[in-house]
Amino acid sequence: MQIAILTFDGFNELDSFVAAGILNRLRSRGWEAHIAAPTPEVRSMNGVVVQRQKPLEFAREADAVLIGSGIRTREVAADPEMLARIALDPARQLLGAQCSGTLLLARLGLIGGLPACTDLTSKPWVIEAGVEVIDAPFVAHGNVATAGGCLASPYLAAWVIARLAGQDAAREALHYVAPVGEKDSFVARAMAAIGPGLLAEA
């Protein structure tokens, strides 16, 4: 499985790096999660500069695509040339977005009239884009999922793993990263959050 984690200037480190770390727990199964960006280097909201692993256009061929948030997401969403570089296909790919990343999914026409999740700061922008925002950490409709809050990134990663490798693999990946002494409760909470989205595909 090839996974693109779309990462733009001003990105939130928790969104991109936590998801990448969890998804790459399945590297032994041939999985690879890549930081995909529009430029060779991108700077995070806190000044961390990283080199991309894949160009933005890699999203077109990936099996799954996650879109993180950042302080410049509204600029990306208002840039037709940038949006044109992001060609996604929910019939073929799993698509997930977190916080202001949900705004990009909306601008790409991939949410439509379905309810979605985002963070409190991004909520008015997503509503302005014509999307109903619900007070929940995660929701999935078919192959499209959205999450709200920086620490909801494990939910998106677990959803991708559960859909493409099974729920046991998702539990195992979550268990590895969960805090010691809270592993069982952490895994149970995460799987409960993504469960309805998985049941819809059962």
Side-chain angles (χ1 to χ4, degrees):
M1 292 295 170
Q2 296 293 306
I3 303 162
I5 300 179
L6 304 194
T7 304
F8 302 90
D9 261 329
F11 71 94
N12 185 318
E13 302 93 338
L14 291 172
D15 295 6
S16 293
F17 297 153
V18 172
I22 294 173
L23 290 164
N24 279 319
R25 293 295 307 160
L26 277 76
R27 191 177 293 275
S28 63
R29 301 188 183 207
W31 285 46
E32 290 185 295
H34 307 275
I35 300 296
T39 53
E41 290 186 343
V42 285
R43 182 182 297 271
S44 79
M45 62 192 297
N46 293 304
V48 179
V49 178
V50 299
Q51 293 183 329
R52 71 183 180 188
Q53 296 170 291
K54 296 286 185 179
L56 193 61
E57 288 76 9
F58 172 70
R60 301 177 182 181
E61 59 189 83
D63 299 293
V65 179
L66 297 183
I67 307 174
S69 66
I71 57 175
R72 299 183 63 184
T73 307
R74 293 181 78 187
E75 297 174 33
V76 176
D79 184 343
E81 292 184 5
M82 186 72 77
L83 293 179
R85 296 178 62 185
I86 310 171
L88 306 178
D89 181 3
R92 183 182 62 82
Q93 300 169 300
L94 292 186
L95 307 177
Q98 184 170 346
C99 299
S100 63
T102 300
L103 177 61
L104 290 184
L105 275 188
R107 294 295 188 200
L108 291 167
L110 296 170
I111 296 180
L114 297 172
C117 300
T118 189
D119 66 290
L120 298 180
T121 300
S122 305
K123 181 177 179 178
W125 311 335
V126 176
I127 292 174
E128 184 181 23
V131 175
E132 176 191 353
V133 175
I134 60 175
D135 185 22
F138 176 91
V139 68
H141 307 283
N143 287 346
V144 179
T146 53
C150 300
L151 294 181
S153 51
Y155 296 173
L156 278 177
W159 173 75
V160 171
I161 295 171
R163 287 289 309 276
L164 298 178
Q167 294 190 38
D168 286 345
R171 291 189 185 94
E172 183 179 341
L174 288 169
H175 191 271
Y176 182 87
V177 302
V180 172
E182 300 177 357
K183 289 185 178 292
D184 290 343
S185 60
F186 182 93
V187 172
R189 183 171 62 251
M191 294 305 294
I194 68 173
L198 300 177
L199 290 174
E201 298 302 313

